[in-house]
Structures are given as C-alpha cells and as structure tokens.
Amino acid sequence: MSAQGAGTLDRLLASPHTMLRKVALTPEALAYGLVGFGTATATTRNAVCTMHQIGSYDLPTACGSALVPPSAWITLRVRPTLLGAAVIAHDEGVPGALPTLYVYSSSGHLVHRVLVHSEADAQLLSELGRSRGLTEAQLARAQLSRAEETGWRDGDQLAQLDAVFEDGGADRHAALVRGGSGEARGVWGVGGVGSSRGVDCSVVSALFEHLSSVGLPVCVGVPSSAVLQLSAGRVHLVERVGSLLVVSLGEGIVELDLSALRSCLLVTSWGPQGPTTALELYDEHSRCVAVLTQLGLVGQDVLRSWEHMLESLPAA
C-alpha cells in the first residue's frame, strides 16, 4: 500500500488483503527499533512534498535537543508528544513481500513509513512491540531528550526547524510575512530570527538545477506533523515532469509538487557558523512543506556561496 493510501490510521485498518498489527510504542522503543534495521526505505511526506531514503537509521533526536548533522544515515527529528500508534502491515496478496511499518501521529495521520529489505529485518519488525520493554542500557541509548524548547522568535537555527511541526508553522509564517512581502523584517530576539523576506516561488526548480551544476551541498528537510526527515549532500539529478519536481539529493530523493507552492520565505537565524539562511517552502494553508538550508559545521566557502546565492533570489 502506498503512503498516500495509508494516509490515516482508519484507512489503513480498513484496507483489504493485508495482515495488520497495531503496536503501542513509546518514542524510545520506536527509536531503538529503527536503529536496529540494517537497510530500510524511509519515507516522510506531507500534502506537497515527499522524501525517500534507503539506508540505515541514525538515532532520531527530539525537538529541543541537539541535532547531529545529516550524513549518509537516515536522519529523523521527532516531536515525541505528537507520536501515536504504529501499524505493521504485510500484504498477503504479493508473494515474497516484506512487511512495512506505518507510524501515525496522535491525531491518526501518517507521519512516517518504513519498508524493510531483508528477512532478518522483517523478523526484527515482527518482534517490534512484543518484548517486555527496553533494558536500562537500551533505554539509555534510545532516550529522546525532553529538553525544554526555545520559542522560535528567540531561538536559533534548530528552533526554527522545530517550529514547523504540528500545524506546519502557520502562525510563525503569518508573523514572518507581517509587514508586507519582499522587504526584510527585523530581529525578533537575541540569537533568533535576524530577517525574513518573501521570494518568487517560480525559482525553486532553477535553484535546485543551479545547486546541481555548481556542486554546492544543501540540506533538505521534509516535515510531517510529528516527524522531520533530513537529507544532506550534493544534488545529483533534477527532473521535472509537469508540475512534479524530482530531486536526487545526497542519499535521498525529494518529490515536490511545484503547483502547490504558495509562498517561499528566506529566514535568517543563528547557526554554528553564524547567521545562516534557510529557504522555507509553504502551501496554500501556510504550512511549511520543505526547508533548504546548511546545517552543522560546513565550510566557510560553502556558507558564503549559499548566502550569496539566496541573496540573489528575486522577491515575491
């Protein structure tokens, strides 16, 4: 079943010809289960954008905590309080098919999907939620910090990322664009948002093509209501089929419906290397559907090239 077809918990539970097992997992048990898989396909999607990655999971981090910059590992950032049930699905009508893990939010919407690729990982998945719980050593490894989150107005680069969960950052978007489009708006707080301005959404496709041609690495994050999946690296390939933009990036694939974009914002906040700008993409409901930025200790030449490129983007 596709991620779209399993978009809500009720829809998946009503699907025919599929063996289903609903699993009640703590966020820590889910995190420990994910890092146990050898190779999996990880998918996070919203109404406009989808990210797929094949590989092994790094330990997910929780909002408010530190973030290890994405690499070749599958990198997830989660809001534990919004995670709900998980369902293991096995399609009996397809010979040799391996099970899939669907993770839902507390409101019953699909936030992440995991497809395993080996019988060994299928066995690990079948055991998920059936153990007596994590040992102290396992819990220490998988513990998702419940660090208190900083408000986005006074928060750094990570606080801006964490602000796009749940309602997609609609309230934040309204605050950032208040005062008219096109002009940079001032500082909200010490170490927080330095400026923001709207840019023309029609340049998104050309932006990815430029990144590919010059070899400039980028980090892309795709949020659902409870999970943010991140992929970083160089853009290998950009293809457009109608309004669908397909980008091969690092170890992942990003699919973006350009026709559904309604707003693009450049938002500058404080990162490890100083002021760092992110390009945030929004849909018609002012929900953030993707973020493009630089995370971690990237080279100064990369950061300068990135900032220079974003400064050149035309205003909306």
Side-chain angles (χ1 to χ4, degrees):
M1 174 174 285
S2 68
Q4 186 172 4
T8 64
L9 182 56
D10 290 342
R11 185 180 297 174
L12 178 63
L13 294 177
S15 62
H17 312 301
T18 301
M19 233 176 16
L20 302 172
R21 181 165 66 89
K22 189 176 177 182
V23 185
L25 293 174
T26 65
E28 287 76 19
L30 174 62
Y32 190 80
L34 292 178
V35 298
F37 297 137
T39 301
T41 299
T43 299
T44 299
R45 70 183 300 270
N46 51 57
V48 178
C49 194
T50 303
M51 177 178 287
H52 308 279
Q53 288 175 282
I54 298 178
S56 300
Y57 278 86
D58 204 348
L59 185 66
T61 60
C63 292
S65 63
L67 172 68
V68 176
S71 59
W73 298 84
I74 297 168
T75 303
L76 300 184
R77 193 163 179 84
V78 303
R79 191 179 290 277
T81 57
L82 295 181
L83 289 173
V87 175
I88 299 171
H90 198 154
D91 194 337
E92 298 174 295
V94 181
L98 294 173
T100 300
L101 176 67
Y102 294 92
V103 182
Y104 288 85
S105 67
S106 55
S107 61
H109 290 87
L110 181 65
V111 296
H112 191 64
R113 183 185 66 171
V114 185
L115 175 64
V116 296
H117 292 268
S118 70
E119 291 293 345
D121 284 341
Q123 182 62 34
L124 287 176
L125 183 53
S126 69
E127 296 171 359
L128 195 63
R130 286 179 167 159
S131 66
R132 297 182 178 179
L134 301 183
T135 65
E136 289 188 8
Q138 291 171 333
L139 186 61
R141 182 188 179 201
Q143 184 68 49
L144 293 177
S145 170
R146 298 302 201 277
E148 184 176 349
E149 296 179 45
T150 303
W152 67 265
R153 285 180 171 83
D154 297 317
D156 60 9
Q157 187 183 30
L158 286 185
Q160 310 311 314
L161 279 178
D162 292 346
V164 302
F165 285 87
E166 198 166 6
D167 70 344
D171 290 341
R172 174 175 170 273
H173 176 271
L176 289 172
V177 301
R178 194 173 297 130
S181 62
E183 69 179 88
R185 280 158 289 281
V187 175
W188 289 96
V190 177
V193 177
S195 65
S196 67
R197 72 175 179 93
V199 299
D200 188 346
C201 290
S202 67
V203 305
V204 171
S205 179
L207 175 65
F208 276 110
E209 290 171 354
H210 177 74
L211 289 169
S212 177
S213 65
V214 301
L216 184 65
V218 63
C219 178
V220 176
V222 174
S224 62
S225 57
V227 173
L228 176 73
Q229 187 169 337
L230 296 153
S231 181
R234 285 181 165 79
V235 176
H236 308 301
L237 181 68
V238 181
E239 290 189 359
R240 183 168 177 176
V241 182
S243 65
L244 181 66
L245 186 69
V246 181
V247 179
S248 173
L249 164 77
E251 303 298 322
I253 299 290
V254 176
E255 300 171 350
L256 176 64
D257 182 2
L258 296 173
S259 68
L261 293 183
R262 292 295 181 270
S263 173
C264 296
L265 291 180
L266 293 178
V267 180
T268 301
S269 55
W270 198 263
Q273 304 279 70
T276 306
T277 303
L279 174 63
E280 302 176 355
L281 313 182
Y282 291 83
D283 66 10
E284 62 180 344
H285 302 292
S286 298
R287 292 179 299 217
C288 185
V289 298
V291 177
L292 286 69
T293 191
Q294 300 292 336
L295 284 178
L297 296 174
V298 299
Q300 282 295 327
D301 55 338
V302 169
L303 189 60
R304 282 193 298 267
S305 297
W306 172 255
E307 294 295 326
H308 177 72
M309 180 186 67
L310 295 189
E311 286 173 6
S312 69
L313 296 181

